[in-house]
Amino acid sequence: MAKKTGQDQKIETLIEREMQSTNPQTMNKDSFSLLAAKVATEIVRELGDKNSEFFKELRQIVSSIDSAKDEIAAIRPKELAEKELPDAANALDIIIKTSEEAASEILGCGEELMEIAQYVPGKLNQRLMEIATKIFEASNFDDLNGQRIRKVIKTLHLIEDRLKRLLSTYGEAYEVVKETTAVEPSEDSLLNGPQDQNKATSQEEIDRILNG
Amino acid sequence: MPVDKNMPILVVDDFNTMRRIVRSLLKQLGFSNVDEAVDGNDALEKIAAKHYGLVLSDWNMEPKSGIELLREVRQNAKHKELPFILITAESKVENIVEAKKAGVNQYIVKPFNAKTLKEKMVTVIGDF
C-alpha cells in the first residue's frame, strides 16, 4: 500500500470529523453530498495554497526529477551513444579481426611443421608432430576469445540503442555543449592506444612529421 | 570393421580458425577427406549432396545453429544414423541435455585437445 502523504492525512481527518458530527442513523444522500463538497473544497484550498503539503510534495518530486536529469546528463549520453560506445565496439571488432589473422599465421606454422615432419624419421618426426599438435590445441584461444568479445559487442550495441531512445525522448536536455575556446591537450587526451589500421598514420607520415 | 580413413568428414563452424584447427587435427589422425561448412544451412546443403561418415559441428552459429542442424539432420530418415559430434564452448547441463535429446552422438567442450577428439571419434565411428 502506498505511503500516506500529509495531504492524505488531512483529508482523512476532515472526513472523520464530519462523520463524528453526523448522526449515522440520519445520514442520507444529502449528507454524503455535503461531505463530498467539503472534501473537494479542502482539496481546492490546498491547491491554492503554495505553502500547502500538496505543493511541498510537488516541489520535492520536481527536485528529484531535476536531480535525476542532472545525473543522466553527467554521463553525457549523446557522446556515449554517438561516439564512445561505437568506438569501443569498433575496437573490439578490430581485436577479433587481428586475433584471427595472428591465429592464422600460427596455424600456418603448425601445418608447415606437420609437412616437414613427413620427411623426418623416428623420434624427431614424433617430436615435430607433438609440437604441431600443441600449436593447434593452443589456437583454440582465438575462437573462444572471439565468442566472448562478440557477446561484449552485443551488450555495447544494446546500451547504445537504449541511450539513443533516451535521447530521442528527452532530446535537447542532453545536447553536447560545444567547446568555444581551444583546449590544450591533456595527458589523458594523448592516450588513444593502438590505431585502426584503416585509418592509421603510417610510419612514413610519422617520419615526415618528425623530420619535417 | 576397420574404419575407412578415406571417409568424407564435414566440419561445421562459423570461425575459420576453428575449422582449420579441426581439419589439421583430423589430418594428424589420418583423415584428409575433409569438407567445411560455415553454418547450419551450408552444412545441410552439403549433407544433402554427399554421404558423410561423420559431422563435427559447432553450436553457436547464425543463421542456423549446430543444434538446429542436428535436429534437422535427425528428422531426415536418410541421416538418422549419421555420426554427429558437437564441438562447442556451450557447457551448461541444459546444453548437454538438449543435445542428447536432439540425438547427438558425442559432445566435446572447447577448448579441447587432440586426445579428446580422438577418444570421442573412436566411440562414434570405431577404433582407428
Side-chain angles (χ1 to χ4, degrees):
Chain A
M1 200 193 284
K3 197 176 152 197
K4 281 187 191 168
T5 63
Q7 180 62 41
D8 293 337
Q9 275 160 353
K10 270 194 176 173
I11 301 294
E12 255 186 46
T13 308
L14 169 70
I15 294 170
E16 273 169 18
R17 201 174 58 224
E18 290 300 316
M19 294 295 286
Q20 275 165 12
S21 64
T22 307
N23 184 347
Q25 288 180 356
T26 59
M27 279 193 87
N28 56 25
K29 186 177 71 179
D30 289 336
S31 3
F32 280 116
S33 299
L34 188 63
L35 177 61
K38 282 189 178 177
V39 169
T41 305
E42 177 63 23
I43 290 171
V44 168
R45 194 193 63 75
E46 280 280 309
L47 287 174
D49 176 6
K50 287 205 168 42
N51 292 321
S52 66
E53 280 295 317
F54 171 76
F55 274 102
K56 240 193 262 177
E57 280 157 29
L58 193 59
R59 274 193 290 272
Q60 273 173 2
I61 291 169
V62 168
S63 172
S64 300
I65 291 173
D66 279 341
S67 295
K69 276 171 76 174
D70 285 343
E71 279 172 39
I72 292 171
I75 64 168
R76 299 171 299 124
K78 191 168 162 66
E79 281 175 340
L80 270 177
E82 291 181 2
K83 182 161 175 18
E84 292 180 23
L85 287 171
D87 279 355
N90 189 44
L92 290 171
D93 265 330
I94 292 171
I95 289 172
I96 292 177
K97 188 167 157 271
T98 52
S99 175
E100 195 173 349
E101 284 166 3
S104 181
E105 291 284 326
I106 293 166
L107 283 173
C109 293
E111 285 155 4
E112 215 174 311
L113 273 176
M114 244 173 47
E115 287 296 309
I116 292 168
Q118 282 181 84
Y119 303 103
V120 174
K123 278 198 171 149
L124 199 48
N125 166 283
Q126 200 181 344
R127 188 68 192 119
L128 285 173
M129 290 298 267
E130 278 168 11
I131 292 170
T133 304
K134 277 194 160 42
I135 289 173
F136 301 140
E137 288 171 355
S139 300
N140 268 269
F141 80 88
D142 181 51
D143 173 59
L144 294 173
N145 284 352
Q147 288 190 43
R148 288 184 184 113
I149 292 169
R150 277 198 214 124
K151 268 187 166 172
V152 174
I153 292 173
K154 210 170 161 184
T155 305
L156 289 176
H157 284 317
L158 187 72
I159 297 170
E160 195 184 318
D161 284 341
R162 293 279 189 272
L163 281 173
K164 282 180 173 162
R165 262 195 256 169
L166 181 75
L167 285 166
S168 73
T169 305
Y170 296 105
E172 294 104 24
Y174 302 116
E175 284 292 322
V176 171
V177 172
K178 287 190 174 39
E179 296 288 346
T180 51
T181 56
V183 176
E184 279 295 312
S186 66
E187 279 290 325
D188 279 349
S189 72
L190 294 174
L191 296 173
N192 293 294
Q195 304 179 85
D196 176 348
Q197 289 306 307
N198 294 325
K199 302 174 197 165
T201 309
S202 67
Q203 186 60 55
E204 287 80 12
E205 181 67 14
I206 291 169
D207 292 341
R208 197 187 59 75
I209 297 166
L210 208 56
N211 302 319
Chain B
M1 197 162 76
V3 170
D4 175 12
K5 285 195 164 181
N6 205 34
M7 74 175 174
I9 297 178
L10 182 64
V11 173
V12 190
D13 200 304
D14 55 348
F15 236 51
N16 181 44
T17 308
M18 188 47 64
R19 292 196 306 272
R20 224 168 132 183
I21 290 170
V22 175
R23 179 190 278 277
S24 298
L25 290 173
L26 285 171
K27 192 172 178 186
Q28 284 194 324
L29 292 171
F31 296 90
S32 296
N33 188 359
V34 176
D35 291 339
E36 294 178 16
V38 299
D39 62 47
N41 284 329
D42 188 17
L44 277 174
E45 278 177 26
K46 291 190 158 81
I47 289 169
K50 193 170 181 176
H51 177 77
Y52 288 99
L54 173 65
V55 173
L56 297 160
S57 174
D58 185 20
W59 183 309
N60 236 324
M61 298 178 290
E62 281 178 20
K64 187 169 275 161
S65 66
I67 195 76
E68 286 167 332
L69 166 65
L70 172 59
R71 286 191 195 114
E72 283 194 42
V73 159
R74 290 293 182 244
Q75 268 167 19
N76 186 333
K78 239 174 75 177
H79 303 125
K80 261 185 114 67
E81 305 298 323
L82 172 59
F84 198 114
I85 299 178
L86 277 168
I87 305 181
T88 169
E90 305 297 337
S91 59
K92 291 196 168 158
V93 170
E94 40 267 43
N95 290 103
I96 321 293
V97 168
E98 200 53 41
K100 198 170 169 186
K101 261 173 40 185
V104 81
N105 296 106
Q106 274 292 355
Y107 197 106
I108 299 174
V109 163
K110 292 175 184 173
F112 66 99
N113 56 34
K115 183 167 168 273
T116 303
L117 177 63
K118 182 173 180 181
E119 273 171 10
K120 301 304 178 195
M121 280 177 68
V122 160
T123 67
V124 173
I125 61 173
D127 208 355
F128 57 85

